[in-house]
Amino acid sequence: MASPADAPIDYAAAMVTAPTSAADWIVVAPVLAPILLGAVLLMVRHKPVLHPWIALPGLAIVLASTVALVARVAAEGPLVMTMGGWLPPFGISFAADMLGSVLAMTAAFVALVCAAVAVRDIDTTGRRYGFYPFVMLLMAGVEGSFLTGDIFNLYVWFEVFLISSFGLIVLGSERSQLDGATKYAVLNLVATTLFLIGTGYLYGIFGTLNMADIARKAPGLRETAPLMTLATIYLLAFGMKAAAFPVNFWLPASYHTPRIVVAALFGGLLTKVGIYALLRTQVMFFPVERAVLSDVIAWVAVATMMLGVLGALAQSDIRRVLGFLVISGIGVMLAGLALGTPAGISGAVVYAVHSIIVMTALYLLAGEIAERTGGYSLHDVAGLYRVSPALAAAALLLVLSVAGLPPGSGLWPKVMLVRASLEEGAGMLAFAILASGFLITIAMGRMFALVFWREGENLAVTREARREGLLLLAVLVAPAIAIGLWPQPLIALGDAAAAGLLDPSSYLGAVFPQGAQP
Amino acid sequence: MRTVIFGSIAPYLTSLMVLFSVFVLLRGHNEPGGGFIGGLIAASAFAIYGIACGVSPVRRALRFHPMAISGAGLLTSALSGLVSLGYATPFLTGLWAPEGFMGIEFAFSSVLFFDIGVYLVVVGSITSIALALEERESD
């Protein structure tokens, strides 16, 4: 039972010996805080009064640490901490580069807003059922996915947020929820299984799971190893998670069933994790293979955009309309991936940030509409402008944002992507982005006109509307408009993220500081 | 399943199995065993007790809700990683107390607490599932 300090072993060969500064902990704090507080929430599950008091500060810690992380990464480049001190590639690294930290920050922001909305939206039964513990574990999974530097660890975080999302989607245990949850669960499990198969195959080829190590070894293996197969498996697996055509059918089948706060979280966050994983694997690991696949990705992007927007035009339930809009946005981000140029990827990252904020806000808007009118059907809801002009104003700004019209946040990423497509001579992509934006304008304009301007009686128009909901919606609308009016800072972050992905040398240098060969 | 023989032997069997699970947990530091397998043994002990004597005696005997035990385990494991913060080492680094604990020489380490956390998570979640299944059966 001797302690390891007794034996004369050279630890520097296997372990990180340099002291880790406490400031470096911001790279694990976004995952650690939700896990710790989620565990506490599990222990006090039967005292629902306490739940928001634990969950909201926890998510505020996540937001604060991700903001600090973005500032740190912008100033000093990628930040790495390797768990347990074992040298990479053997220890599991957490590596925050600009792509991961920007998305982590946006995700933390909308999660905090959603948790605040849930304080009044999720009743005691829902809390006893475990709403807040599930949200905390979902956030641990999402933040872990954005920040981890290990491909198998990414799979683990995918499972963490997937399992939490199963719990959240059946909150309430209604028949339609179980139906939606089954489709959601089965198809997502197929996707993660494909991801796992691909990762096993990748390990067989590379002998490593560390993302930086994979990116470093890929050029040497390109002649001999079946990297094309790997890239295609990952494209399919993550495309399924991101709800890209033709593997998108789980999303419209399930996203209208859960509580509206849960739908807001899902619509904002989960598909973007798929996009993040696509960017990470296709651009950083397999850039040459991505270039070969770019035609396929481009067609998938066009089909996804068009299918999403045509679905949105055809639906009459507001939540279903929004579900299809999520899909259409995925197509726009895939267009950036198909281009693969710095401008294209930067556009995709900026669009992802816009989409996280605006889709969450739109689902919360749907919740506010239902709060005042008692339903989600476009046939029934009417005349809301008279009831709440403020809500109409927020709705108009969100409609402009999602359609990509000024002064909304959707304008600039679409401008970036259209310009990038034209530079690459991909006129089809540019046309699809513009055409889908036009059709979204029609779909959302129709929704806005029916809900707010049409004369009519509502089912429950007399219900007392609460101010907090509108206030929290404004908290989400404000950054959307701010991005629309003053996009330079976000575009700079997007450019930095794209540069870091296309030339991962600073990322590799951060994970392997001595350039040590394994 | 509530026969006299099974009913009278189950409490002894359960206590033996829980004791053995703790032995396996502590042994797992450098030898086969550990938190996960120890937790499974303890959970099967509670499941046997539940089959023999009914679910509510098990719930009473456990005092805490199984999911709360699970939460406590997750908290213990995460906190054991947090100890690293005070020693300027990365998250989850294994740290040993140099002289054992209170003069007794044994591997008193953050790793041990991580393993205890795993044990509690497994005990809590598997017991929770097992008891829920047994409840359905008896109703």
Side-chain angles (χ1 to χ4, degrees):
Chain A
M1 288 292 182
S3 75
D6 298 344
I9 303 170
D10 177 19
Y11 283 106
M15 298 191 78
V16 177
T17 45
T20 307
S21 109
D24 286 1
W25 281 65
I26 50 173
V27 71
V28 285
V31 182
L32 194 55
I35 286 186
L36 278 172
L37 293 169
V40 174
L41 279 167
L42 261 185
M43 292 162 71
V44 297
R45 201 160 67 108
H46 294 286
K47 297 193 181 66
V49 183
L50 292 176
H51 287 188
W53 296 102
I54 300 170
L56 289 179
L59 291 169
I61 294 172
V62 176
L63 180 59
S65 51
T66 47
V67 169
L69 197 58
V70 170
R72 173 93 181 256
V73 170
E76 298 172 19
L79 178 62
V80 175
M81 182 191 274
T82 303
M83 300 302 110
W86 304 104
L87 279 180
F90 304 107
I92 290 173
S93 298
F94 261 49
D97 63 349
M98 193 45 102
L99 173 69
S101 39
V102 166
L103 291 176
M105 177 177 75
T106 319
F109 172 63
V110 299
L112 182 59
V113 175
C114 283
V117 171
V119 171
R120 66 178 180 92
D121 236 39
I122 301 291
D123 54 12
T124 314
T125 321
R127 287 190 198 168
R128 272 181 195 279
Y129 186 87
F131 175 80
Y132 280 108
F134 278 132
V135 168
M136 295 308 261
L137 293 183
L138 181 89
M139 279 320 287
V142 169
E143 299 286 334
S145 304
F146 287 143
L147 297 177
T148 185
D150 184 284
I151 189 92
F152 186 77
N153 202 230
L154 178 66
Y155 167 76
V156 174
W157 293 122
F158 263 67
E159 288 286 352
V160 168
F161 79 69
L162 203 58
I163 288 170
S164 321
S165 68
F166 295 160
L168 283 173
I169 206 168
V170 295
L171 202 78
S173 303
E174 288 161 25
R175 177 179 283 268
S176 68
Q177 289 182 325
L178 293 177
D179 177 65
T182 314
K183 291 165 184 159
Y184 175 82
V186 171
L187 289 170
N188 272 288
L189 282 177
V190 170
T192 41
T193 308
L194 258 176
F195 176 17
L196 184 61
I197 291 170
T199 304
Y201 197 26
L202 179 140
Y203 185 64
I205 294 167
F206 284 82
T208 181
L209 293 166
N210 186 295
M211 288 183 181
D213 209 25
I214 295 167
R216 188 169 66 166
K217 283 179 174 161
L221 288 166
R222 192 149 277 133
E223 298 302 318
T224 51
L227 299 192
M228 197 68 210
T229 316
L230 277 180
T232 315
I233 292 178
Y234 278 144
L235 179 64
L236 179 58
F238 296 137
M240 211 160 171
K241 295 265 1 148
F245 180 83
V247 279
N248 58 353
F249 295 104
W250 57 270
L251 195 151
S254 59
Y255 270 26
H256 63 283
T257 58
R259 305 288 186 91
I260 200 72
V261 183
V262 175
L265 261 181
F266 284 15
L269 297 182
L270 298 192
T271 47
K272 277 62 174 191
V273 185
I275 289 290
Y276 163 81
L278 273 175
L279 288 172
R280 180 68 76 198
T281 53
Q282 306 291 322
V283 180
M284 197 170 101
F285 298 173
F286 308 123
V288 177
E289 288 73 17
R290 188 212 56 78
V292 177
L293 284 170
S294 66
D295 277 347
V296 178
I297 303 174
W299 279 110
V300 167
V302 170
T304 311
M305 277 185 248
M306 287 303 154
L307 176 115
V309 74
L310 293 178
L313 277 169
Q315 295 298 328
S316 62
D317 183 310
I318 297 174
R319 293 169 299 178
R320 285 182 185 262
V321 172
L322 297 181
F324 279 103
L325 280 187
V326 172
I327 295 178
S328 177
I330 293 300
V332 179
M333 286 176 260
L334 286 176
L337 178 68
L339 294 168
T341 57
I345 292 168
S346 173
V349 174
V350 175
Y351 194 91
V353 171
H354 143 79
S355 176
I356 291 176
I357 296 172
V358 170
M359 288 319 303
T360 307
L362 278 168
Y363 272 105
L364 294 180
L365 170 74
E368 290 299 311
I369 292 172
E371 177 81 33
R372 284 165 176 77
T373 61
Y376 293 100
S377 168
L378 288 177
H379 298 302
D380 303 332
V381 176
L384 203 51
Y385 183 78
R386 286 183 197 286
V387 180
S388 176
L391 188 64
L396 182 65
L397 292 173
L398 286 174
V399 167
L400 293 176
S401 289
V402 75
L405 296 171
S409 56
L411 173 70
W412 299 108
K414 284 191 178 175
V415 167
M416 293 163 78
L417 283 166
V418 167
R419 199 165 63 182
S421 321
L422 294 177
E423 276 167 7
E424 287 295 295
M428 178 188 70
L429 279 178
F431 175 76
I433 293 169
L434 293 174
S436 73
F438 177 66
L439 292 173
I440 289 176
T441 314
I442 295 176
M444 292 310 283
R446 163 174 161 266
M447 188 199 93
F448 184 81
L450 288 178
V451 170
F452 289 97
W453 285 346
R454 182 173 52 164
E455 293 290 334
E457 285 295 307
N458 280 306
L459 306 174
V461 84
T462 50
R463 277 174 73 170
E464 179 122 359
R466 281 170 286 194
R467 277 180 184 280
E468 309 94 63
L470 207 55
L471 201 70
L472 289 167
L473 191 61
V475 171
L476 283 176
V477 173
I481 299 306
I483 293 170
L485 294 178
W486 192 40
Q488 287 94 331
L490 182 61
I491 292 176
L493 293 181
D495 286 345
L501 267 186
L502 287 163
D503 176 22
S505 55
S506 65
Y507 185 88
L508 300 192
V511 178
F512 299 105
Q514 303 86 19
Q517 292 300 315
Chain B
M1 286 299 284
R2 292 187 193 175
T3 65
V4 177
I5 299 175
F6 191 36
S8 34
I9 205 151
Y12 302 102
L13 197 59
T14 302
S15 41
L16 263 181
M17 282 173 81
V18 172
L19 197 64
F20 182 63
S21 77
V22 174
F23 165 72
V24 168
L25 160 70
L26 296 175
R27 181 176 190 265
H29 187 65
N30 278 327
E31 282 166 289
F36 189 83
I37 184 69
L40 283 180
I41 294 171
S44 27
F46 297 133
I48 285 177
Y49 195 46
I51 293 169
C53 308
V55 171
S56 36
V58 183
R59 290 201 192 277
R60 271 203 304 277
L62 281 175
R63 298 182 69 98
F64 299 104
H65 191 275
M67 286 314 290
I69 296 177
S70 227
L74 190 56
L75 191 67
T76 313
S77 285
L79 285 177
S80 79
L82 209 59
V83 176
S84 310
L85 186 57
Y87 292 84
T89 50
F91 181 54
L92 285 176
T93 304
L95 296 164
W96 280 263
E99 296 300 326
F101 181 63
M102 292 174 69
I104 310 159
E105 194 178 323
F106 76 110
F108 186 73
S109 62
S110 65
V111 183
L112 176 67
F113 284 92
F114 185 84
D115 232 12
I116 292 173
V118 173
Y119 176 87
L120 292 175
V121 169
V122 175
V123 171
S125 46
I126 305 287
T127 307
S128 165
I129 295 167
L131 292 185
L133 289 174
E134 286 168 12
E135 232 155 19
R136 292 286 150 72
E137 214 171 69
S138 55
D139 284 346

